[in-house]
Amino acid sequence: MRRIALTFALAVAASAATGLTAEAAPTAPVYKHYVALGDSFSAGPLIPWQQASWCFRSNNNYPAWLATKLGLYYTSGAFTDVTCSSADTTNMAQPQVTPSPDIPMSTQSPQFDALSLDTDLITIGIGGNDYSVFGSLVGTCPGLRASNPTGSPCQEHFTVNGVDTLSAALVNTQKNLENVIKGARAHSPGAKIVMVGYPRLVPPTGTCPDVVPFADGDYRWADAVERKLNAAVANAARRQGALYVDTYGPSLGHDACAGDAAWVAGQYTNVFGAAAYHPNLAGMKAEADLIHRALGGTSSTLALKPSGRNAATKAEVTTMARYAGEISAP
């Protein structure tokens, strides 16, 4: 999803691609052409290895791990990942300026362009950027904590005439998501369509203001907004005959406050780990496993891993990070 000022910088690990072992291939359903669509929660900004793209797409995101589990990652033409940070539902059928309209470094084709008649599996992780719901949460709430640390100043900020404007926007997000499913099916009528939910950002109880600097009362409200976002994704999937994979429920105990067990980062960006308020490598692996199991696969240990192909160099990452505003110039 997008943050308030702009989207996210790239990062890449210094290590070389992990070698392959000769162990047995994992048990998995059989697909021939898998296409991944989505925003930054699918793309994996700052997770090594980052591809040399203004979409801030990682070779270690859940689409790559899922493709590996399905035996497609190393098969030419079998796996296509067009997930892109800052994408919203309009970018399924319309071009996207990246990294942001304010910094027009490149233009990405509509994500639906990656679909074809022979596509038989599609994962879609989108919706959080519609109407700037996620960006409003992580971009506004931290700045309001000081005004009322134990209250709910962010909830009050987004409540107008008694209406929670962020929650209200999600009604239209569900409609947008239903149209996305319809559009994907029109391009690839024989494909299995999987709608992927969003992992939890904050815990159901307690706070960690050093990691997620929301006011205490805004934790419960932000969590409620995220649950409504996931409900919009789930309802759209149900109404349009797609498969919904819940990542919110299984991420209990893995929110940003969970320390080493976290699947998502808190307020601080790790240029060589994960963008602020976004999934890390552990989260991506976990999501891939959840999707794989939902498709009928097993949780067997993988012998193969994604590679660092098309990765940006550290110099490229640094330059792109500065353009993206994630780090300051020396």
Side-chain angles (χ1 to χ4, degrees):
M1 296 186 226
R2 77 165 59 87
R3 291 177 63 190
I4 195 163
L6 120 115
T7 183
F8 312 97
L10 285 177
V12 63
S15 57
T18 301
L20 310 181
T21 71
E23 299 172 31
T27 302
V30 177
Y31 295 99
K32 294 182 179 179
H33 183 213
Y34 163 36
V35 176
L37 314 177
D39 59 26
S40 58
F41 263 59
S42 299
L46 302 183
I47 300 173
W49 306 280
Q50 287 287 305
Q51 296 177 12
S53 165
W54 286 105
C55 276
F56 318 138
R57 186 186 306 121
S58 173
N59 283 319
N60 268 311
N61 59 15
Y62 76 69
W65 280 94
L66 178 61
T68 306
K69 287 174 177 285
L70 294 172
L72 302 176
Y73 189 86
Y74 290 97
T75 301
S76 178
F79 169 52
T80 306
D81 184 359
V82 291
T83 58
C84 195
S85 296
S86 291
D88 60 30
T89 55
T90 66
N91 300 124
M92 300 299 101
Q94 299 175 16
Q96 178 186 352
V97 177
T98 55
S100 74
D102 294 332
I103 307 176
M105 302 300 293
S106 65
T107 300
Q108 310 298 324
S109 298
Q111 293 191 26
F112 279 164
D113 285 4
L115 301 176
S116 61
L117 291 176
D118 69 349
T119 302
D120 54 3
L121 176 64
I122 306 169
T123 58
I124 306 175
I126 201 76
N129 286 330
D130 283 31
Y131 315 107
S132 299
V133 169
F134 181 77
S136 296
L137 283 176
V138 301
T140 303
C141 293
L144 296 175
R145 174 180 168 82
S147 67
N148 187 2
T150 61
S152 304
C154 201
Q155 180 180 11
E156 294 169 5
H157 176 83
F158 287 107
T159 300
V160 179
N161 296 325
V163 176
D164 180 341
T165 57
L166 296 191
S167 294
L170 294 173
V171 175
N172 288 325
T173 297
Q174 179 179 324
K175 297 176 183 177
N176 297 344
L177 290 166
E178 290 191 46
N179 287 331
V180 167
I181 298 170
K182 292 176 183 177
R185 185 167 287 124
H187 283 78
S188 303
K192 177 82 171 181
I193 300 176
V194 181
M195 299 297 291
V196 183
Y198 291 93
R200 64 178 72 224
L201 177 64
V202 296
T205 60
T207 63
C208 60
D210 291 340
V211 179
V212 181
F214 294 1
D216 293 355
D218 283 329
Y219 271 72
R220 305 291 76 77
W221 170 71
D223 187 47
V225 171
E226 188 178 3
R227 283 188 277 111
K228 292 173 184 176
L229 169 59
N230 278 309
V233 179
N235 290 337
R238 176 180 53 80
R239 288 175 59 88
Q240 297 303 322
L243 173 66
Y244 171 67
V245 175
D246 174 27
T247 64
Y248 176 87
S251 61
L252 179 64
H254 299 287
D255 54 81
C257 295
D260 291 342
W263 289 357
V264 293
Q267 65 172 318
Y268 297 114
T269 288
N270 178 348
V271 180
F272 296 98
Y277 303 114
H278 276 73
N280 56 27
L281 177 57
M284 288 297 188
K285 288 181 177 181
E287 290 189 61
D289 190 53
L290 290 169
I291 300 167
H292 188 240
R293 281 185 283 166
L295 290 171
T298 67
S299 299
S300 58
T301 301
L302 279 175
L304 302 181
K305 299 180 181 180
S307 73
R309 61 191 181 189
N310 302 320
T313 66
K314 295 184 75 173
E316 289 172 332
V317 168
T318 301
T319 298
M320 297 178 81
R322 287 176 183 149
Y323 272 112
E326 289 291 341
I327 61 175
S328 59

